[in-house]
């Protein structure tokens, strides 16, 4: 009998989309504030169970979840200094995934190792790098000062508010929204929406939109992080959307948004909450459509559509080479 050798990224393909569910890039796993020193969290992403923990020294660490001993989920364990300890028999693993202690054993079994993930913590978010072929990151995420606001006074940004949803779709469908200019007016009521400028580079796709009383400058890094600078009736707002595939059919969408303080802090916080409501309202207009649409590789486009095909060509760089033939 022949046994097919199937690569992980092929297995993780959804029925709905002609590409892998798990593109390459940096993906958010949690807000930094969710993980205090010595905190432990169970996370599901890329169809895998992961454990996220913060060491005593404060380093956010991500490992594959299952203990190589008898398969316990390390997310039920606890942090001991710079390691995580399995709750079942107390084996301990460091940030590289290496087992550093088997209590009372003379030696550590040589294969006592779990897969470590490359972590980057910035903008109040814990990201991991996912690559189908185990390659190093092809791009880095930028710092966004708008997400580090302390809400202290004029010139500063309000403390970001966090919200989000689990959505039955693919990360690429959420990202394609930026290129789909004609839906902004009809679905979201952004009258007069038109492209001011757009740009495709290896690390980001930028779409700068103008509309009545509004400009929206959206920067998409990989297929996982959208940073939007919005000017609405002369007030400045910021929204970051982070898209992470949980499994072949679901995406965790995390949003952080804030408002620039121009005078009174309380008023800016009110504006920030209003902006959160507007952002949520727009997203909830998209969600049922994303969840129920059929992806077409050969869409029927018209002259009023945005750069949907250039976007799809740009997106291909985030998939394994074999899917880009
Ligand atoms: S299952 Fe983890 S130490 Fe035994
Ligand atoms: Fe939309």
């Amino acid at each position: 009998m022949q046994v097919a050798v199937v690569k992980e990224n092929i297995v993780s393909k959804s029925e709905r989309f002609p590409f892998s569910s798990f593109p390459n890039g940096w993906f958010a796993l949690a807000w930094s504030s969710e993980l205090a020193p010595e905190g432990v969290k169970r996370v599901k992403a890329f169809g895998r169970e992961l454990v996220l923990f913060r060491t005593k020294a404060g380093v956010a660490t991500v490992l594959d979840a299952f203990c190589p001993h008898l398969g316990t989920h390390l997310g039920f364990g606890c942090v001991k200094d710079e390691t995580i300890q399995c709750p079942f028999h107390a084996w301990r693993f460091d940030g590289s995934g290496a087992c550093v202690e088997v209590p009372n054993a003379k030696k550590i079994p040589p294969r006592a190792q779990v897969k470590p993930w490359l972590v980057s913590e910035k903008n109040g978010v814990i990201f991991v790098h996912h690559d189908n072929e185990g390659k190093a990151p092809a791009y880095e995420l930028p710092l966004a000062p708008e997400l580090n606001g302390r809400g202290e006074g004029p010139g500063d940004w309000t403390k970001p508010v966090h919200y989000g949803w689990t959505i039955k779709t693919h990360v690429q469908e959420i990202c394609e929204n930026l290129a789909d200019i004609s839906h902004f007016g009809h679905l979201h009521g952004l009258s007069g929406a038109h492209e001011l400028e757009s740009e495709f580079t290896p690390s980001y796709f930028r779409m700068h939109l103008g509309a009545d009383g509004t400009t929206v400058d959206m920067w998409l890094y990989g297929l996982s992080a959208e940073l939007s600078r919005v000017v609405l009736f002369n007030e400045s707002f910021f929204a970051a959307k982070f898209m992470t595939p949980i499994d072949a059919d679901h995406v965790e969408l995390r949003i952080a948004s804030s408002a620039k303080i121009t005078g009174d802090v309380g008023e800016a916080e009110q504006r920030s909450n209003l902006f959160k409501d507007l952002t949520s309202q727009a997203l909830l207009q998209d969600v049922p459509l994303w969840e129920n649409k059929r992806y077409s590789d050969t869409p029927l486009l018209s002259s009023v559509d945005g750069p949907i095909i250039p976007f799809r060509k740009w997106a291909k760089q985030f998939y394994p080479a074999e899917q880009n033939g």
Side-chain angles (χ1 to χ4, degrees), residues 45-65:
F46 323 112
R48 305 170 81 104
E49 290 287 337
L50 306 174
V51 57
L52 169 59
F53 65 97
R54 198 184 289 287
T55 67
K56 198 172 181 184
V59 181
T61 306
V62 179
L63 302 175
D64 264 4

Side-chain angles (χ1 to χ4, degrees), residues 176-186 188 190 192-198 205 207-210 218 304-308:
E176 191 170 284
N177 228 235
L178 275 65
D180 182 356
I181 292 171
S182 60
H183 95 291
F184 286 105
H186 182 69
H188 300 312
L190 203 59
H194 60 282
E195 177 181 332
L196 293 173
E197 210 180 342
S198 66
F205 157 46
M207 173 58 75
H208 192 184
L209 281 187
M218 299 175 278
V304 298
D305 284 308
I308 288 174

Side-chain angles (χ1 to χ4, degrees), residues 116-167:
W117 290 71
L118 186 59
V119 175
S120 172
E121 185 166 17
K122 57 173 69 162
N123 300 328
V125 184
I126 299 168
F127 298 95
V128 283
H129 188 256
H130 172 265
D131 189 281
N132 288 280
E133 292 151 304
K135 291 186 185 156
Y139 67 94
E140 293 299 329
L141 296 168
L143 284 173
E146 299 93 334
L147 286 182
N148 296 310
R150 292 166 190 271
E152 282 177 351
D156 195 5
W157 289 80
T158 56
K159 285 183 192 153
V161 282
H162 295 159
Y163 43 109
W165 295 270
T166 303
I167 305 170

Side-chain angles (χ1 to χ4, degrees), residues 49-273:
E49 290 287 337
L50 306 174
V51 57
L52 169 59
F53 65 97
R54 198 184 289 287
T55 67
K56 198 172 181 184
V59 181
T61 306
V62 179
L63 302 175
D64 264 4
F66 297 117
C67 179
H69 182 212
L70 289 177
T72 299
H73 198 304
L74 294 170
F76 290 89
C78 59
V79 170
K80 296 274 177 204
D81 300 322
E82 300 308 288
T83 67
I84 184 141
Q85 184 182 59
C86 181
F88 216 169
H89 315 90
W91 290 23
R92 288 192 301 119
F93 300 87
D94 68 12
S96 74
C99 180
V100 293
E101 186 188 4
V102 174
N104 306 316
K106 287 209 177 74
K107 79 180 228 241
I108 294 171
R111 288 187 297 112
Q113 164 83 41
V114 283
K115 174 183 152 62
W117 290 71
L118 186 59
V119 175
S120 172
E121 185 166 17
K122 57 173 69 162
N123 300 328
V125 184
I126 299 168
F127 298 95
V128 283
H129 188 256
H130 172 265
D131 189 281
N132 288 280
E133 292 151 304
K135 291 186 185 156
Y139 67 94
E140 293 299 329
L141 296 168
L143 284 173
E146 299 93 334
L147 286 182
N148 296 310
R150 292 166 190 271
E152 282 177 351
D156 195 5
W157 289 80
T158 56
K159 285 183 192 153
V161 282
H162 295 159
Y163 43 109
W165 295 270
T166 303
I167 305 170
K168 192 170 185 291
T169 187
H170 188 288
V171 287
Q172 183 171 316
E173 288 281 62
I174 300 179
C175 296
E176 191 170 284
N177 228 235
L178 275 65
D180 182 356
I181 292 171
S182 60
H183 95 291
F184 286 105
H186 182 69
L187 183 65
H188 300 312
L190 203 59
S191 62
H194 60 282
E195 177 181 332
L196 293 173
E197 210 180 342
S198 66
E199 190 184 0
F200 290 93
T201 78
S203 53
Y204 66 82
F205 157 46
R206 179 182 173 212
M207 173 58 75
H208 192 184
L209 281 187
D212 298 344
T214 310
T215 58
V216 187
D217 198 2
M218 299 175 278
W219 301 66
L220 178 69
Y221 289 82
L223 294 176
S224 60
E226 177 204 321
L227 307 181
S228 292
R229 296 177 172 93
V230 178
V231 179
L232 190 57
F233 301 111
N234 295 321
E235 298 287 359
S236 295
F237 300 90
F238 182 82
K241 298 191 183 91
F242 301 110
M243 288 71 72
T244 305
I246 303 172
D247 56 30
D249 297 306
H250 297 89
V251 173
E252 193 71 44
L253 173 64
R254 294 177 175 83
I255 306 178
S257 61
S258 59
K260 190 161 191 181
I261 304 169
T262 46
D264 184 69
V265 173
E267 279 176 17
E269 280 167 357
Q270 276 181 6
R271 279 200 305 280
S272 170
N273 284 330

